[in-house]
Each structure stands twice: as C-alpha cells, then as structure tokens.
Amino acid sequence: MKKMKMKVFRMITCLTLVVSMAVIGAFPTYAAGPETWNQNLGPVESMRVVNNNLTPVKTMGRSGKLYIYFTVQPCKQGCCSCSDCEPSAYSPVKVTMQIRRAGTTQVLVSGDKSEGVFYNRIGVNVTQGQKIQLFCDVSSNGPSPGVNRRGHVSYYYGFE
C-alpha cells in the first residue's frame, strides 16, 4: 500500500513539473535591456502572431531612412507544425505592419502584405535615440472565418 502511494505521489509530482514547464515555456522571453538598431541590415526575426502583436521597444542607433521588410506565412494544417494550426480550408492571411512611436498608438508608417515568400517594404525617417515598436496584425485576405487569424511573420530592418 505504501509503495502504491509513493508511485502515485511521484507520478503526480512529475506531471505537475511537466505542466509547469509547458506553461512557463509558453511565455515570450526578451533579451535584457533595450534592443538598438544600428546596422545597415538587421537580422531576420520571426514571430508567430495570433491576431496581433507589438514588439518590444527598438532604439535607433543612427539617423536615416529606416526600412522594415516583412512577410507572412500561414499557420495552417499542412503548412506548419504548430499544435493549434488553423484548418487548411481557411482563407489566406495577410499582415498589416506598422512602425509606431514607442509607447503610443501613433503610427509613423503602415503597409500590408498577403501571404507568400516575397517581402514588402515600408520606410520612415528616424533619428538617433528615437524609440519605435512594430505592430503586426494578421487578418483574413478573403472571407473571414470569424476567428483571430494566425500567421508566422518574418521581418528585418535596413537603413538607407
């Protein structure tokens, strides 16, 4: 009887640890401190977006014309390996990308891109030290199924 109780206790403890790790792992993590953009071309970054997302603050390390190149891929069954993909019958998605003044809803520039492999580009003049955020809104590019849409958004920055 005592061995059985110990096995049940171990099983519950292990299950609790697994669930805790899964929940903690689902929260986004960010590097400590603000991110400064100052390279001619920044690295490609990707994020999964459900409905919309606002990136952490980006500080401009230089002045000039900042361009954001972006695209979106569907999060559908057969297209990706996410556990909660949309049904493949859903209409295509598009992403609206905005460059916003950090901490506000003030849009500096905005553009749209339908799903596909090619990138779209939006640009705005920035000054060194200026803080911005990118806002991404994934929506239907066709008849809406009436749910928050999912997509995989990729983007990178460049200065001119």
Side-chain angles (χ1 to χ4, degrees), residues 58-104:
K58 316 295 184 187
T59 302
M60 300 299 101
R62 62 195 285 187
S63 297
K65 184 86 172 200
L66 170 71
Y67 287 101
I68 302 296
Y69 302 84
F70 62 97
T71 192
V72 64
Q73 297 297 322
C75 183
K76 293 182 183 175
Q77 295 169 348
C79 295
C80 70
S81 59
C82 294
S83 62
D84 61 344
C85 296
E86 295 179 339
S88 58
Y90 278 13
S91 63
V93 294
K94 69 177 181 178
V95 63
T96 300
M97 177 71 77
Q98 298 176 345
I99 300 175
R100 292 183 174 183
R101 187 171 310 280
T104 73

Side-chain angles (χ1 to χ4, degrees), residues 85-124:
C85 296
E86 295 179 339
S88 58
Y90 278 13
S91 63
V93 294
K94 69 177 181 178
V95 63
T96 300
M97 177 71 77
Q98 298 176 345
I99 300 175
R100 292 183 174 183
R101 187 171 310 280
T104 73
T105 58
Q106 181 186 2
V107 177
L108 304 175
V109 67
S110 180
D112 295 322
K113 172 69 176 87
S114 298
E115 68 182 57
V117 295
F118 298 106
Y119 283 75
N120 193 11
R121 174 178 93 158
I122 56 175
V124 65

Side-chain angles (χ1 to χ4, degrees), residues 24-70:
I24 291 169
F27 292 112
T29 57
Y30 302 108
E35 183 178 0
T36 300
W37 284 0
N38 56 13
Q39 301 174 26
N40 282 338
L41 282 176
V44 175
E45 298 186 40
S46 296
M47 61 184 159
R48 182 169 179 266
V49 177
V50 177
N51 192 26
N52 59 55
N53 189 27
L54 188 64
T55 67
V57 173
K58 316 295 184 187
T59 302
M60 300 299 101
R62 62 195 285 187
S63 297
K65 184 86 172 200
L66 170 71
Y67 287 101
I68 302 296
Y69 302 84
F70 62 97

